[in-house]
Amino acid sequence: ISTIKKMIPPEIIAGSFARPFDTKNLLLKMDMLTRSDKRKEAEDNRIKHLLLVDDDAIFLTMMQGCLSDKYKITAVKSSMQAMGFLNTQKPDLILLDYEMPVTSGPEMLTMLRKTPATASIPVIFLTGKADRNSVMKVMSLKPNGYLLKTMSNKEIVASVDEFFRSINK
């Protein structure tokens, strides 16, 4: 260890382990270091910020879990909470449920498009509404996409990834 420390600058040495190794401690430390490296790398590459808007807390939690490896996530349970959040923050994408109490997803999208500060924020509907009338109503509002909750988590993440790839071309 002392020989290595003479050859490698101390600021790039994350830690050292003397023999005999405590394997459990070694693995925990290595896991912690690689996670923080991945987080730092993602932040350095300007991690995209998603706003999830859905009144189903279980679905929100599930989506946070599958999207948070790649994206910064803010989750809210209503359109009104989302509008309050948007007064101070501008996410890179909003994933919006169709059917919510008080203010529906289509109503929220209409409000977003009428407000200059939020008009350019991309919105993809992520909903269980698959009937033709609901889809046609929303598509007339020109969202950036329409995903169904019945899709697998992997498909949803892939669709979000593809959206960002398509706008970065």
Side-chain angles (χ1 to χ4, degrees):
I1 291 175
S2 62
T3 304
I4 296 292
K5 285 183 177 180
K6 289 176 187 172
M7 295 187 301
I8 298 176
E11 62 272 5
I12 65 171
I13 297 175
S16 62
F17 300 90
R19 289 187 178 158
F21 294 119
D22 175 356
T23 308
K24 187 175 181 180
N25 184 35
L26 174 66
L27 291 173
L28 287 172
K29 179 75 172 178
M30 289 175 62
D31 184 51
M32 184 185 76
L33 290 171
T34 57
R35 284 185 190 189
S36 66
D37 284 350
K38 285 178 186 172
R39 281 192 208 109
K40 184 177 182 336
E41 181 181 322
E43 288 169 6
D44 290 347
N45 291 332
R46 168 85 172 90
I47 192 165
K48 300 292 185 187
H49 184 185
L50 307 183
L51 174 62
L52 304 179
V53 186
D54 197 310
D55 61 318
D56 182 342
I58 294 170
F59 185 76
L60 276 179
T61 302
M62 182 180 70
M63 283 294 95
Q64 279 181 292
C66 74
L67 290 165
S68 63
D69 284 343
K70 291 185 174 186
Y71 302 104
K72 177 181 177 187
I73 306 297
T74 299
V76 296
K77 294 181 190 174
S78 72
S79 294
M80 291 299 104
Q81 285 181 337
M83 295 306 281
F85 173 82
L86 293 168
N87 283 330
T88 60
Q89 304 277 331
K90 187 176 179 186
D92 297 296
L93 174 65
I94 298 172
L95 294 178
L96 181 62
D97 189 19
Y98 188 106
E99 212 166 39
M100 292 182 288
V102 185
T103 306
S104 70
E107 292 169 332
M108 180 179 166
L109 180 56
T110 301
M111 288 189 295
L112 290 171
R113 295 300 182 243
K114 288 181 179 178
T115 307
T118 60
S120 65
I121 300 172
V123 175
I124 294 177
F125 276 85
L126 178 55
T127 182
K129 298 285 279 181
D131 63 279
R132 180 172 164 60
N133 288 340
S134 298
V135 174
M136 295 308 290
K137 178 181 178 182
V138 165
M139 294 315 284
S140 69
L141 299 173
K142 302 197 186 316
N144 298 83
Y146 197 94
L147 304 175
L148 295 174
K149 289 180 178 179
T150 54
M151 296 168 65
S152 72
N153 291 351
K154 194 174 188 177
E155 290 173 308
I156 292 170
V157 172
S159 295
V160 172
D161 292 346
E162 180 55 34
F163 167 77
F164 285 120
R165 268 193 300 278
S166 72
I167 64 170
N168 290 330
K169 285 183 179 178

